[in-house]
Amino acid sequence: MFLLLPSILIVLLLDFYPIIYSIVISFQKRSLFDISGVFTGFKNYFLIFTNPNFPTLLKNTLVWTLGTTFFEVSFGMIIALLLNRDFKFRNLARALIIVPYAVPVIVSTLVWKYMFNDLIGLINYILQVLKIASQPIAFLASTTFAMMVVILINVWSFTPFAVINTLSALQNINPELYEAAKLDGANPWQEFKNITFPSILPILIIVSLLRTVWNFQKFEIIWLTTKGGPINSTMTLPVWIYSQGFESFNIGYASSMAILMFIIAIIFAILYINLFERMESRLQ
Amino acid sequence: MEKSKTKHYIMNIMVWIVVILTVFPLIWMILSSIKQPEEVYSYPPIFFSKDPTLRHYIELFKVTNFEKYFINSTIVTFSTVVITLFIVVMTCYTITRFKSKGTNFLSKLYVLIYLLPQVVMVIPIFLMMKRFGLINSLYSLILTYLIFTFPYAFLLVRAYIGSIDQSMEEAAMIDGASRIGAFIRIVLPIAAPGLIATSIFVAIMCWNEYLFASVLTPSEEFKTLIVGVAGLTEKTGIPSWGMLMAASVIVVLPMIVFFMLIQRRMVIGLSAGAVKG
């Protein structure tokens, strides 16, 4: 049993202790450089709920989390369906489509920022050639477009996750089902509706939930692209926590928000684990 | 028949359109990194440089601490992978071989931990490392990265070791092998390909990490690649896109190589937590 000791230590030292510490700090007025904080009760929590930007933060987090997850899973499904056929260089196509998953976040944000640049960016050039835009658009300085750009970067990076998982579910479908459907004279749409989609639905739900949990807490893409701006239009909860903590050094305030986030995340995580186990036992 | 052929043809075209759109940003990055400075900034943009150059790469190593960042990232990534694997193999072996209520609970707990937001940990971890005097030390990163590498590797390795038939081990032990001997001679060789794939996935995670590295190692000397390159954009008001693209190429290259190595095992690594391995 002593073999389990290192892993238990990791969990106690790197997960439990920080979370409890965070709860303590969330009741304090404390700067990042203070040795200890001043107990202020629920004041930080009160400040959060009365912060006029709080609704915007929640809205942005919701748009970001659901937007990224929705596009990742739907593109993932479509691409997996396209790949799940016999064609030349199928393995090459598959390999190239999942490459973005290995691209570090600093690289994806830099490259996309370069392409979305308002003065020299390729995307503005294409939009003008196609006569979609008459003027170059400053995407990252625009409160309407900035969120779309960060969502796009996330979708580009993480759609491969949905592709791979959907593809493996597709490959597990019993081919006899399709043969039987052909004999019954089913058309491709009926095949999809009655065989393919129900078979991959469990994995689509699991992937959606897992991506929701991760996208909810994802912070790097937004931070490295817009820092939450312009005028808070891409400010989500994790980005706000990081900037409160490490730019304003207001860790008491930041921690109270972190604890709220933690509670939401834990609810999702437990939901996920329960759902996953139920589906697993149904498959067996 | 004719109709389904056309359909197949259209779908193939769609696949390759998706491929091109996916890979294009990376191709643009490579093309831009070898352009002349004035070509990088030309509008309308040009695709192929008339006079390709490596000057951005040379400048990168001359002007910035890029080499230092690269070495730091390599040390952190390598050390974290070794430590993670060692601990995870120990843990998974025990949990899959000695099943009890306790190990079952731990197993669930480790999955739960995989789903916790890291941003919640970052402030307390920073304060903790400050107290240990580990700010601006690579040790703080190696230790902290276990937060996410451990539960991830746990999910993968548990599947590998759990699927190995125990009767072979038991037979070896009846023949007089010790438990450790049976583990080394029977379990490890079977699990090896899975463990190698896991190492690569963990390596990709460490190499790409930004959140903790950005706060735990603020000094130039200890920056990792990701944080170092992010810093390049902040220091100069107007970023030199040529140099940034050259830096991006170097950052992404080892990852692509790793990625190609585990092509066939991709499904397993990407589906940790989503599909039972």
Side-chain angles (χ1 to χ4, degrees):
Chain A
M1 283 306 117
F2 71 95
L3 288 172
L4 289 174
L5 218 56
S7 65
I8 294 172
L9 267 179
I10 291 180
V11 173
L12 289 181
L13 186 72
L14 295 175
D15 290 292
F16 279 34
Y17 177 70
I19 288 166
I20 291 164
Y21 200 1
S22 229
I23 295 176
V24 172
I25 300 170
S26 77
F27 291 110
Q28 293 175 336
K29 182 178 165 53
R30 185 164 176 177
S31 133
L32 189 64
F33 307 107
D34 289 345
I35 307 288
S36 61
V38 183
F39 181 79
T40 53
F42 280 92
K43 192 165 171 234
N44 289 325
Y45 290 93
F46 180 74
L47 281 176
I48 286 177
F49 290 112
T50 52
N51 183 338
N53 284 327
F54 188 58
T56 319
L57 270 178
L58 283 184
K59 194 200 93 200
N60 289 342
T61 311
L62 203 68
V63 170
W64 159 260
T65 309
L66 297 183
T68 48
T69 306
F70 174 78
F71 287 112
E72 281 169 31
V73 177
S74 23
F75 289 161
M77 185 187 83
I78 295 167
I79 295 171
L81 288 170
L82 286 174
L83 286 174
N84 192 36
R85 300 168 305 124
D86 267 330
F87 59 94
K88 256 190 194 166
F89 306 117
R90 174 168 178 258
N91 286 338
L92 177 71
R94 198 187 72 157
L96 290 173
I97 281 174
I98 54 183
V99 155
Y101 195 76
V103 173
V105 56
I106 183 68
V107 175
S108 56
T109 51
L110 276 177
V111 174
W112 282 104
K113 262 164 99 173
Y114 178 44
M115 295 205 303
F116 272 112
N117 191 292
D118 51 332
L119 299 174
I120 53 166
L122 182 68
I123 290 172
N124 263 313
Y125 176 70
I126 293 170
L127 290 179
Q128 274 172 297
V129 169
L130 296 177
K131 301 249 184 299
I132 294 171
S134 55
Q135 291 285 316
I137 302 165
F139 286 98
L140 294 170
S142 138
T143 48
T144 29
F145 290 117
M147 183 57 101
M148 292 185 203
V149 173
V150 286
I151 288 178
L152 173 80
I153 300 174
N154 188 313
V155 171
W156 180 75
S157 302
F158 294 101
T159 298
F161 179 81
V163 173
I164 290 293
N165 283 299
T166 317
L167 204 53
S168 66
L170 283 170
Q171 280 158 0
N172 284 337
I173 301 176
N174 185 351
E176 283 169 20
L177 289 175
Y178 290 107
E179 279 156 29
K182 279 236 162 64
L183 287 179
D184 291 344
N187 64 33
W189 168 244
Q190 284 168 329
E191 265 181 26
F192 176 77
K193 201 182 69 177
N194 297 323
I195 303 172
T196 315
F197 191 70
S199 311
I200 59 174
L201 187 62
I203 203 76
L204 291 179
I205 294 173
I206 282 179
V207 169
S208 306
L209 208 53
L210 205 52
R211 287 309 309 167
T212 306
V213 173
W214 280 326
N215 287 332
F216 173 62
Q217 56 150 302
K218 197 106 211 114
F219 123 104
E220 291 90 342
I221 289 177
I222 298 180
W223 183 255
L224 292 169
T225 311
T226 61
K227 294 210 162 189
I231 343 174
N232 284 339
S233 61
T234 53
M235 187 65 87
T236 58
L237 294 178
V239 180
W240 188 90
I241 292 168
Y242 186 86
S243 89
Q244 271 300 318
F246 296 98
E247 300 239 299
S248 314
F249 309 125
N250 209 341
I251 57 170
Y253 197 19
S255 293
S256 55
M257 187 70 98
I259 293 304
L260 285 183
M261 229 191 108
F262 174 75
I263 293 168
I264 302 173
I266 259 294
I267 293 171
F268 266 102
I270 290 170
L271 194 72
Y272 170 76
I273 292 172
N274 279 337
L275 188 79
F276 183 62
E277 279 184 353
R278 204 176 313 159
M279 284 192 171
E280 205 173 50
S281 59
R282 211 175 55 184
L283 289 174
Q284 274 161 2
Chain B
M1 212 61 226
E2 200 50 43
K3 203 176 138 203
S4 79
K5 235 181 191 165
T6 339
K7 203 187 100 196
H8 190 72
Y9 195 62
I10 293 170
M11 281 172 95
N12 280 354
I13 293 174
M14 280 162 70
V15 168
W16 293 105
I17 290 175
V18 172
V19 170
I20 291 167
L21 288 178
T22 310
V23 184
F24 184 78
L26 298 174
I27 294 174
W28 188 245
M29 162 186 86
I30 297 167
L31 289 176
S32 302
S33 74
I34 52 170
K35 284 177 195 165
Q36 294 290 345
E38 61 278 10
E39 289 173 320
V40 177
Y41 287 93
S42 78
Y43 192 86
I46 31 177
F47 279 78
F48 301 101
S49 174
K50 289 193 187 75
D51 179 19
T53 171
L54 288 177
R55 59 185 291 167
H56 296 300
Y57 290 88
I58 297 164
E59 205 183 323
L60 183 68
F61 282 94
K62 256 197 205 144
V63 182
T64 72
N65 296 324
F66 202 75
E67 217 179 306
K68 189 86 212 160
Y69 304 153
F70 198 94
I71 295 170
N72 288 341
S73 271
T74 311
I75 294 172
V76 170
T77 303
F78 184 77
S79 319
T80 313
V81 168
V82 172
I83 297 172
T84 305
L85 227 62
F86 187 72
I87 296 177
V88 160
V89 167
M90 244 159 59
T91 311
C92 291
Y93 182 76
T94 319
I95 281 186
T96 53
R97 293 298 180 267
F98 303 96
K99 285 208 169 86
S100 71
K101 267 205 179 121
T103 53
N104 201 8
F105 169 76
L106 279 184
S107 195
K108 260 193 194 151
L109 181 69
Y110 296 161
V111 177
L112 180 70
I113 273 164
Y114 180 51
L115 302 170
L116 294 184
Q118 285 159 25
V119 78
V120 174
M121 318 290 185
V122 68
I123 292 170
I125 291 276
F126 175 84
L127 296 175
M128 224 166 92
M129 292 300 169
K130 206 170 87 176
R131 191 170 298 168
F132 295 160
L134 288 177
I135 297 292
N136 279 326
S137 144
L138 296 182
Y139 291 115
S140 65
L141 295 184
I142 296 167
L143 185 60
T144 308
Y145 284 4
L146 290 172
I147 289 185
F148 52 88
T149 60
F150 170 73
Y152 179 73
F154 173 78
L155 278 171
L156 294 180
V157 174
R158 184 183 59 172
Y160 294 130
I161 294 188
S163 65
I164 295 171
D165 190 2
Q166 286 190 39
S167 57
M168 270 160 64
E169 266 174 274
E170 279 153 16
M173 282 195 283
I174 290 167
D175 288 346
S178 65
R179 187 168 270 283
I180 296 173
F183 172 75
I184 292 173
R185 255 174 289 147
I186 293 167
V187 179
L188 268 191
I190 302 178
L195 295 181
I196 291 169
T198 307
S199 319
I200 291 178
F201 281 111
V202 170
I204 293 178
M205 277 180 133
C206 297
W207 189 264
N208 296 356
E209 208 281 333
Y210 175 81
L211 176 64
F212 291 108
S214 72
V215 299
L216 293 178
T217 50
S219 112
E220 270 299 299
E221 203 186 327
F222 298 105
K223 275 186 181 162
T224 59
L225 255 190
I226 305 292
V227 178
V229 174
L232 295 184
T233 64
E234 279 159 13
K235 241 175 281 167
T236 47
I238 306 156
S240 153
W241 283 111
M243 200 167 89
L244 289 176
M245 290 302 109
S248 299
V249 171
I250 301 179
V251 174
V252 86
L253 219 58
M255 295 304 101
I256 304 275
V257 172
F258 274 169
F259 208 65
M260 292 300 158
L261 287 178
I262 42 165
Q263 251 306 304
R264 274 182 306 131
R265 300 199 154 256
M266 211 53 230
V267 178
I268 299 150
L270 277 185
S271 52
V275 182
K276 201 170 181 181

